[in-house]
Amino acid sequence: MKPHRELSIFRKYLEKRGLKLTSERQALFDELFARHEHFEADELLVRLRTKHKKISRATIYRTLDLLVDSGIVGRVRIGESGYRYERLRAGEHHDHLICNECGRVIEFFEPAIESLQDQVCEKYGFLALSHSHQLRGICRQCRPRVSSREAGRAAAAAAVPGGKLRILPTA
Amino acid sequence: MKPHRELSIFRKYLEKRGLKLTSERQALFDELFARHEHFEADELLVRLRTKHKKISRATIYRTLDLLVDSGIVGRVRIGESGYRYERLRAGEHHDHLICNECGRVIEFFEPAIESLQDQVCEKYGFLALSHSHQLRGICRQCRPRVSSREAGRAAAAAAVPGGKLRILPTA
DNA sequence: ATGCGATTGCGACTCAGTCTCAACTGGCGT
DNA sequence: ACGCCAGTTGAGACTGAGTCGCAATCGCAT
Ligand SMILES: [Zn+2]
Ligand SMILES: [Zn+2]
Ligand SMILES: [Zn+2]
Ligand SMILES: [Zn+2]
């Protein structure tokens, strides 16, 4: 178990405000960095319950708040309800492609989009502090399956005038 | 009260699937088109309760579902919890700038971003069906107030190396 | 008028997340 | 090593947003 750059950040974060690195917080941190990229709070809870101890839901949320606040973990509105969390690689940023079929989450980063965002903000005199940008649809793996399922009637629907696929806002 | 293009769309939508344009649905539709651009379900409920009748919460949600499904209304994840709804001008699309201070919602549309999105999708073989893109921060009107409040200590924090404002994902 | 599926209001329910509080640490000060 | 006490924890009550089940009603074609 290497010294984890992130762990020292967390430690520092706690120290700076007189908080303690308890065994629960450690356990959560470890579990978090041992696997998944994107997960939800209750998922983490279950995993910690089996392996580690009788940690409570409140503690999960409380600790996650600390991690988010310290910048080590990100909280994202993926999925239809609730949040998902993900560890953040220091200084990196990305947005998400989310498959409606399999739930797969693909991360992307498009510098040109990021800078256009800045331009939009400038135009409106808006000071951006954060943003979320996600596209929902069907991922490469699921496309064959879905399109065969839609077989017949899809052909008619596809012949929409205007050609270009229309993208509507939703989530 | 003009014939509303949208009303006829809704009417058609209902007809097509053997549903009825009840007085509740009418009332909701009217209220919706009489005002606000962005609103939440319970807001609508209250307004309908005072003016119109003893409409139930379930009906609000059910009707809103129909409107969303018919494409007349959009459901967006603005704000920290729950959804917001907004009437959609036929064929138009926009994304959002949301002020953390006053809650104001500014709509924007940047074609270049939209097309870059398409490119990202192509790159990953992803078929986008919808997307949501929102920036949170401080709007023009709130900036003076906020920056004066932050006065002193902000000066130090602003002297971050790297210059460019870092935008982190959140909502 | 009658019939029957669609619709409604109500209230119970779910789900994710928050709060309260008494019991329990962690770790500095001695 | 010992004690203290702010910080922390688990359990469970609670909240808010939205959903569900159902009996009573409604709308409309016959
Ligand atoms: Zn981004
Ligand atoms: Zn991610
Ligand atoms: Zn867009
Ligand atoms: Zn809008």
Side-chain angles (χ1 to χ4, degrees):
Chain A
M1 201 166 275
K2 41 182 152 72
H4 261 323
R5 221 175 73 71
E6 282 83 358
L7 182 52
S8 81
I9 293 177
F10 189 36
R11 225 191 266 283
K12 218 160 292 172
Y13 170 88
L14 293 174
E15 207 164 320
K16 192 172 305 173
R17 51 205 79 195
L19 306 180
K20 297 165 186 170
L21 178 46
T22 65
S23 70
E24 289 82 356
R25 287 173 185 170
Q26 255 299 351
L28 195 153
F29 183 96
D30 291 345
E31 186 61 30
L32 199 164
F33 274 78
R35 359 187 149 242
H36 307 268
E37 290 284 281
H38 298 86
F39 55 90
E40 21 195 274
D42 281 0
E43 219 173 299
L44 235 195
L45 175 62
V46 172
R47 282 196 277 129
L48 282 171
R49 278 270 170 81
T50 64
K51 330 197 98 190
H52 293 276
K53 39 176 64 186
K54 73 207 181 79
I55 196 168
S56 97
R57 205 141 69 93
T59 299
I60 301 282
Y61 282 106
R62 289 186 287 227
T63 307
L64 246 10
D65 284 348
L66 294 176
L67 287 163
V68 168
D69 196 54
S70 72
I72 294 170
V73 164
R75 183 191 282 116
V76 202
R77 270 260 171 73
I78 282 173
E80 277 309 283
S81 86
Y83 294 104
R84 299 271 222 120
Y85 296 85
E86 62 180 348
R87 41 190 290 207
L88 257 28
R89 258 159 273 272
E92 291 180 24
H93 160 70
H94 62 259
D95 295 297
H96 300 104
L97 257 33
I98 305 145
C99 180
N100 288 340
E101 287 296 311
C102 67
R104 205 181 316 250
V105 175
I106 301 160
E107 310 192 331
F108 74 89
F109 176 67
E110 176 49 67
I113 291 181
E114 304 291 330
S115 81
L116 280 165
Q117 278 177 172
D118 292 350
Q119 286 174 38
V120 169
C121 288
E122 228 156 276
K123 175 172 164 191
Y124 291 96
F126 189 86
L127 172 66
L129 297 175
S130 70
H131 70 265
S132 91
H133 189 182
Q134 20 186 284
L135 317 209
R136 317 194 119 257
I138 320 287
C139 75
R140 178 182 279 130
Q141 287 75 5
C142 292
R143 286 179 72 167
R145 177 155 44 85
V146 173
S147 51
S148 70
R149 181 206 304 160
E150 307 269 304
R153 136 208 74 207
V160 175
K164 273 212 82 175
L165 211 41
R166 166 145 291 290
I167 298 186
L168 297 167
T170 298
Chain B
M1 200 167 275
K2 39 181 154 73
H4 260 323
R5 221 176 73 70
E6 282 83 358
L7 183 52
S8 80
I9 293 177
F10 190 35
R11 225 189 268 283
K12 219 161 292 173
Y13 170 86
L14 294 174
E15 208 164 319
K16 192 173 305 173
R17 52 205 77 196
L19 305 180
K20 297 164 188 171
L21 179 47
T22 65
S23 69
E24 288 83 357
R25 287 174 186 167
Q26 255 299 351
L28 196 153
F29 183 97
D30 291 345
E31 187 61 30
L32 199 163
F33 274 79
R35 4 191 144 240
H36 305 270
E37 290 285 280
H38 298 87
F39 55 90
E40 21 196 273
D42 281 0
E43 220 173 299
L44 235 194
L45 175 63
V46 172
R47 282 196 277 128
L48 281 171
R49 276 270 171 81
T50 63
K51 331 197 99 191
H52 293 276
K53 39 175 63 186
K54 72 206 180 85
I55 195 167
S56 100
R57 206 141 70 93
T59 298
I60 300 283
Y61 281 106
R62 288 186 287 227
T63 307
L64 246 11
D65 284 347
L66 294 176
L67 287 163
V68 168
D69 196 55
S70 71
I72 295 171
V73 165
R75 184 192 280 118
V76 202
R77 269 260 172 74
I78 282 172
E80 277 309 282
S81 86
Y83 294 104
R84 298 273 221 119
Y85 296 84
E86 60 179 351
R87 42 190 289 207
L88 256 28
R89 258 160 273 271
E92 291 179 25
H93 161 71
H94 62 259
D95 293 297
H96 299 104
L97 257 33
I98 304 146
C99 180
N100 288 339
E101 286 297 312
C102 66
R104 206 180 317 249
V105 175
I106 301 160
E107 310 193 333
F108 73 90
F109 175 66
E110 176 49 69
I113 291 182
E114 303 291 328
S115 81
L116 280 165
Q117 278 177 173
D118 291 349
Q119 286 174 39
V120 169
C121 288
E122 229 157 276
K123 175 171 164 190
Y124 290 95
F126 189 85
L127 172 66
L129 298 176
S130 69
H131 71 265
S132 92
H133 188 182
Q134 20 186 281
L135 318 210
R136 316 192 121 260
I138 320 287
C139 74
R140 178 181 280 131
Q141 286 76 5
C142 294
R143 288 178 71 167
R145 176 155 43 88
V146 173
S147 51
S148 70
R149 183 205 305 161
E150 309 268 303
R153 134 209 75 205
V160 174
K164 273 212 81 176
L165 211 40
R166 167 143 293 289
I167 299 186
L168 296 167
T170 297

